[in-house]
Amino acid sequence: MGCPQSLTWSDPTQTRQDLDHLLDHVTSGCSECGACVRNCAFLQHYGNPAQLARQLQQDEEPALAATLAFSCSLCGLCDTLCPERLSLSALFLQLRRVVVIDQPQILRRFRGLRSYENLGTSKRFTWHALPDGCQTVFFPGCALAGNRPATVWQLYQQLRRQQPTLGLVLDCCTKPSHDLGDQQRFHQRFGQLRDLLLAGGVTTVLTACPNCYEVFRRYGNRLQCHSVYEELARQPALLPGPPATATPARTVTVHDPCVNRQALPVQQAVRQLLQQRGLKIEEMRNSGRTTLCCGEGGCVMASAPQLALKWRDRRAEQAQGRPLVTYCAGCMEFLRPVSNCCHVLDVLLQPAAALDGNLKPVPSLLRYKNRLSLKRRARQQIQAPHAQERPMSDPAARPAATGRQKLVRLAVLALLIGTIVALRASGLFDQFDPQQLRHSIAGYGLWAPLIFMLLYSLAPVFFLPGLPLTLLGGILFGPVWGVVYTLSGATAGASLAFLVARYLGRDWIATKLTGERWQKLDADVARQGWKMVAFTRLIPLFPFNLLNYAFGLTNIRFSHYVLTSAICMAPATVAYIALSSSLTDLLRGTLTTELLVGLVLLVLLALLPLGWKKWQARRQSRP
């Protein structure tokens, strides 16, 4: 389809030069014959390639470039139909790359898709199980693992009977970043995946997703890539299922995903598998090399939904009510609302339910749960000494902050420092005692809890002392609600200070962690940093406000930090609240249960470091 074959990231100047070269090539080479226009909803709306190229060369309006770039589905049909063999899909992909460089804010439009990719490449969702001697891995992709986890597992088990050392890699190929034109992000994330596989001794990748197939084929370098459907067609016994019978054959039609329009062996393998099940195939007008996009290609649904739905309606119209079989889980999801569309693996394993349209679609949230369940199953049942989650993305490979972003961060930092200095100069810190705060907050009546939690959530950000507020929580609200309000405010404040530090300083810290030793330390903190949070929160001797900012500069997950902080701050909070809520009774000469609970908890917390040291010493003395 004319896209680059090497995994390289070009600097902005080179990227623009490549686009200029493609524009010149199309302007001079397009004969304006209309062959591509007659078959493309996008070109029918905006004009033929030569017209668009001249318009882009003459008009420097950023909005025009963005509109054209993200309205093309990058399906490559125009490349196939062009008598001049122009690479038009490469032109629009390159245009996207330039738009992303010049207008990075445009990626906000695709926030949902980028979040989906972020999860797919995160430690939580990834799992690389490489048994001893593993050279080939099964890479099912994100969509199929979410829609059909049981099918993925069954298929892996069948394949492994023929290849005992077959590995299973649950990960994302980051095709969304590629198609969005986010060249640097794709280079970093797919490059990391490829390097991990190569480092593990992997030489061959079996894919079930057409997008993953194309990404590995184009950018895998030394990794060979084959479709699992080719493997199944060569060895039909690998996949159990009902054989062809003497009953009248069902008639189906096949939707070839546009990304695989040039993958003739894959197309033939899918048709062979269906025929082996006794199915009769009637081809649509557009199939194989001239297949139509389902409408989801190129992320167009987020920018030009009217064009995406046009593609989908055309595909459903060509199916003419016949069961529509595809080998892309994404196409299946997008086409299902307007046709009886099913996945080829469903047809092979559950033919009656699939062809009759009785397989219910999987809700989006359940797909995430399915992927986590599949990962858990793989972790428990695959004996792989080299198994691992994908490491967190290399901070050094992140795009550098723009000049405007740096100015904003400096402004926020200056405002924060100025506010802290002003608060100290005003004498507010000296007046920050429970008695004065009690009179101030108690006067708000029913609003007092909200005012209290809001004040506590701001206190850590501005380095205001937290102990007076904690004691005040018990005095104002009693031992039960005092704990609830105080712990909620303290957790919110710790989280807010953490986010401020991460936004202002994490990128700068990451650029300094260039040595292998520092990068390993940073990775260790990301993996086990919650233990450090737990230890420092359980012992109320560490500076609370300073720790919040310090943890924000590390690579620890925000969710781990918040959850661990909330749980491990609870004992000290209960202790202080129990003491402060019983002060009035103590002044009257009454010893309450709350007071005793508070004292016991404080003693236990004070003894915790001593107990920790003894446990560590005993552990190290064991043979």
Side-chain angles (χ1 to χ4, degrees):
M1 291 168 59
C3 294
Q5 300 296 312
S6 60
L7 184 61
T8 56
W9 179 78
S10 303
D11 60 60
T13 301
Q14 183 62 49
T15 302
R16 292 187 180 91
Q17 289 176 354
D18 292 342
L19 175 61
D20 291 338
H21 174 74
L22 287 168
L23 289 172
D24 290 338
H25 186 58
V26 171
T27 302
S28 61
C30 178
S31 61
E32 303 189 58
C33 66
C36 57
V37 178
R38 285 191 293 271
N39 292 275
C40 177
F42 164 68
L43 293 176
Q44 288 169 8
H45 185 79
Y46 288 104
N48 67 53
Q51 292 171 337
L52 295 180
R54 286 193 293 267
Q55 197 173 2
L56 287 167
Q57 287 175 319
Q58 298 166 5
D59 194 336
E60 297 183 358
E61 176 58 41
L64 173 66
T67 298
L68 293 178
F70 290 98
S71 295
C72 170
S73 62
L74 306 178
C75 75
L77 179 60
C78 50
D79 297 357
T80 301
L81 298 175
C82 179
E84 308 298 335
R85 295 293 183 263
L86 296 176
S87 186
L88 302 174
S89 60
L91 167 65
F92 287 103
L93 177 59
Q94 198 67 17
L95 182 61
R96 287 188 176 196
R97 291 170 174 171
V98 171
V99 170
V100 167
I101 291 171
D102 294 340
Q103 308 171 56
Q105 70 278 4
I106 201 168
L107 291 174
R108 296 173 188 167
R109 186 184 301 172
F110 308 96
R111 191 178 293 115
L113 185 62
R114 287 163 66 81
S115 297
Y116 177 82
E117 181 184 280
N118 285 337
L119 285 173
T121 56
S122 68
K123 291 168 65 70
R124 183 170 299 176
F125 281 83
T126 56
W127 186 247
H128 297 193
L130 308 182
D132 281 328
C134 175
Q135 293 184 323
T136 303
V137 296
F138 177 39
F139 193 96
C142 303
L144 186 62
N147 278 277
R148 300 290 184 266
T151 299
V152 168
W153 184 253
Q154 180 180 356
L155 185 54
Y156 172 68
Q157 293 299 320
Q158 292 296 118
L159 292 167
R160 199 176 183 189
R161 288 175 184 171
Q162 296 292 326
Q163 301 183 58
T165 61
L166 180 70
L168 177 64
V169 175
L170 304 176
D171 209 319
C172 175
C173 71
T174 63
K175 182 74 157 40
S177 285
H178 175 277
D179 286 358
L180 287 174
D182 195 346
Q183 195 177 3
Q184 188 170 2
R185 176 161 147 158
F186 173 71
H187 170 267
Q188 186 267 318
R189 295 196 175 187
F190 180 75
Q192 182 192 47
L193 170 62
R194 180 204 60 195
D195 294 344
L196 285 170
L197 295 179
L198 289 171
V202 175
T203 60
T204 305
V205 179
L206 281 177
T207 63
C209 168
N211 287 290
C212 298
Y213 176 85
E214 288 300 323
V215 168
F216 277 103
R217 293 274 288 188
R218 294 182 192 177
Y219 305 104
N221 293 354
R222 289 178 289 144
L223 287 172
Q224 297 182 30
C225 179
H226 303 288
S227 170
V228 72
Y229 309 111
E230 298 175 84
E231 192 74 16
L232 295 174
R234 282 194 296 268
Q235 304 183 64
L238 284 176
L239 192 62
T245 64
T247 57
R250 297 282 301 264
T251 299
V252 299
T253 191
V254 177
H255 167 70
D256 297 295
C258 61
V259 70
N260 275 176
R261 70 170 66 254
Q262 305 296 345
L264 183 60
V266 182
Q267 298 168 12
Q268 292 174 337
V270 169
R271 285 161 174 78
Q272 183 178 336
L273 288 168
L274 294 174
Q275 290 167 348
Q276 288 170 355
R277 291 298 188 268
L279 298 172
K280 179 183 177 182
I281 300 172
E282 292 182 355
E283 299 290 0
M284 290 182 282
R285 176 184 173 187
N286 292 92
S287 63
R289 293 180 67 250
T290 64
T291 188
L292 297 182
C293 177
C294 71
E296 194 183 36
C299 321
V300 172
M301 190 63 186
S303 54
Q306 72 283 359
L307 289 175
L309 296 177
K310 241 183 206 184
W311 285 112
R312 184 173 74 172
D313 292 341
R314 284 180 61 185
R315 208 51 174 153
E317 182 183 346
Q318 288 192 356
Q320 296 180 347
R322 295 167 293 194
L324 190 59
V325 181
T326 186
Y327 39 105
C328 174
C331 292
M332 176 189 70
E333 294 171 13
F334 199 70
L335 289 170
R336 191 192 293 273
V338 294
S339 66
N340 178 16
C341 187
C342 51
H343 198 278
V344 63
L345 291 175
D346 289 337
V347 176
L348 299 178
L349 294 171
Q350 309 174 68
L355 296 175
D356 292 338
N358 294 330
L359 294 179
K360 297 181 180 180
V362 181
S364 57
L365 290 179
L366 184 57
R367 292 177 214 152
Y368 291 109
K369 179 179 179 296
N370 286 343
R371 290 165 65 184
L372 292 173
S373 300
L374 180 60
K375 173 182 173 178
R376 184 163 54 250
R377 191 173 190 177
R379 294 187 69 162
Q380 293 172 351
Q381 299 188 31
I382 301 177
Q383 298 299 320
H386 309 295
Q388 65 173 336
E389 296 167 330
R390 187 200 276 238
M392 296 187 71
S393 299
D394 181 8
R398 296 174 185 169
T402 63
R404 181 179 178 183
Q405 289 173 328
K406 290 179 180 178
L407 287 175
V408 170
R409 292 180 184 182
L410 286 174
V412 172
L413 180 60
L415 179 63
L416 180 62
I417 294 174
T419 304
I420 294 173
V421 171
L423 289 173
R424 287 193 174 277
S426 66
L428 180 62
F429 279 44
D430 299 331
Q431 301 175 14
F432 215 72
D433 64 84
Q435 192 62 30
Q436 294 192 27
L437 288 171
R438 179 182 182 184
H439 291 299
S440 300
I441 295 177
Y444 287 99
L446 294 176
W447 290 95
L450 184 61
I451 298 296
F452 174 79
M453 287 187 289
L454 179 61
L455 181 60
Y456 211 137
S457 65
L458 293 176
V461 178
F462 298 110
F463 281 87
L464 296 171
L467 183 58
L469 285 171
T470 302
L471 297 175
L472 178 64
I475 296 172
L476 282 176
F477 308 113
V480 177
W481 289 109
V483 170
V484 173
Y485 298 147
T486 301
L487 189 59
S488 299
T491 304
S495 304
L496 188 58
F498 177 97
L499 292 174
V500 169
R502 176 152 291 184
Y503 174 73
L504 293 179
R506 172 60 194 169
D507 287 346
W508 180 83
I509 289 291
T511 61
K512 305 304 176 185
L513 301 177
T514 54
E516 182 178 347
R517 176 183 176 186
W518 291 111
Q519 290 184 358
K520 184 180 183 303
L521 176 62
D522 202 39
D524 289 343
V525 171
R527 187 173 61 256
Q528 300 186 4
W530 67 271
K531 295 180 181 179
M532 298 171 60
V533 177
F535 186 72
T536 54
R537 295 306 192 204
L538 282 171
I539 303 174
L541 300 177
F542 294 93
F544 177 71
N545 292 336
L546 188 60
L547 276 175
N548 297 327
Y549 281 97
F551 281 122
L553 296 176
T554 70
N555 207 15
I556 187 175
R557 285 187 189 178
F558 177 65
S559 57
H560 290 184
Y561 169 79
V562 174
L563 183 61
T564 307
S565 292
I567 294 173
C568 295
M569 286 192 299
T573 302
V574 171
Y576 285 124
I577 293 295
L579 288 174
S580 62
S581 64
S582 59
L583 285 178
T584 304
D585 294 319
L586 182 62
L587 293 175
R588 294 172 182 167
T590 304
L591 290 176
T592 63
T593 303
E594 289 83 0
L595 178 65
L596 295 176
V597 168
L599 289 173
V600 170
L601 276 175
L602 283 180
V603 171
L604 290 175
L605 291 173
L607 294 175
L608 187 60
L610 182 61
W612 172 263
K613 288 182 179 180
K614 287 185 176 180
W615 182 78
Q616 286 285 74
R618 189 179 307 165
R619 184 182 178 188
Q620 293 175 2
S621 63
R622 292 175 183 171

